[in-house]
Amino acid sequence: MALGRYTEVARAANGDLIRAGEVTVYAAGTTDLAELWQDDEGTVPARNPAVTDLASGAWSAVAEAGLYDLLYPGGRTVHNVPVVAGASGGSAVAWGDITDKPTTFAPTINATASGAVAGNDPRLTAAAAGTASVRALAGGTATTASASDHTHTGLLSGTTAALNDEAEFADLAAATTAYNVLLAALRLRGIISGA
């Protein structure tokens, strides 16, 4: 019997992780449950349907090399998923082999810190301390960004005469001196730090 391991992170049709969900594995084109194992040698039987990880949505099982249909919660089925003999890291599924897949994955709009913002969400306009907000590009006040009237002291001033990149150096000592002048200028302007 030629066995291979299949591993994946299970996702719903909308792209969300399937956590602690059941994935039923059938022999391709049938309603016959596939025989699954926990170990690569095929000595410890595994549950079918397989249960995905609560945190990551990942699941893994060993099966005889061949094609399988995977049934996910909600009724979505992926057909003809290959399990390759000797594979221990999982088998890739071609995008074209996946059926009933959505054409787009809309962002999840919600009020959590990691959710997407839309419409009249107060995070787009709030100016309270500690609240993420969008600032207008005007003014130069505590609550606005400025595109034209803001400078960093020393960053936009000074001369480049000693840093002429067209200079040719007669020897290593001259090149080293010019290099050290360049580093000093970058430190003075706050572009780099350190000794």
Side-chain angles (χ1 to χ4, degrees):
M1 177 169 48
L3 300 176
R5 179 173 291 277
Y6 180 80
T7 303
E8 73 164 4
V9 173
R11 293 189 177 274
N14 66 359
D16 289 345
L17 290 176
I18 298 174
R19 295 183 173 96
E22 294 185 338
V23 179
T24 306
V25 183
Y26 297 103
T30 74
T31 56
D32 299 332
L33 288 176
E35 192 170 10
L36 304 178
W37 292 273
Q38 296 178 31
D39 61 317
D40 292 334
E41 293 74 33
T43 60
V44 182
R47 185 179 187 278
N48 190 359
V51 178
T52 65
D53 183 75
L54 177 62
S56 68
W59 68 279
S60 177
V62 173
E64 189 168 351
L67 298 176
Y68 297 89
D69 294 340
L70 306 179
L71 174 63
Y72 295 90
R76 183 175 67 95
T77 302
V78 178
H79 297 281
N80 299 318
V81 175
V83 172
V84 180
S88 59
S91 304
V93 177
W95 183 251
D97 291 338
I98 301 173
T99 60
D100 303 321
K101 60 184 179 271
T103 55
T104 60
F105 295 94
T108 302
I109 307 297
N110 58 48
T112 65
S114 60
V117 179
N120 61 355
D121 189 297
R123 289 175 290 169
L124 290 173
T125 57
T131 303
S133 61
V134 176
R135 305 294 190 198
L137 285 176
T141 68
T143 61
T144 61
S146 176
S148 61
D149 62 353
H150 183 75
T151 61
H152 291 272
T153 304
L155 186 58
L156 302 176
S157 62
T159 177
T160 59
L163 308 176
N164 188 340
D165 62 357
E166 296 179 7
E168 292 186 17
F169 305 108
D171 56 24
L172 180 59
T176 301
T177 299
Y179 176 72
N180 287 330
V181 168
L182 172 63
L183 292 177
L186 293 173
R187 288 188 191 97
L188 178 65
R189 289 163 172 79
I191 297 172
I192 63 172
S193 62

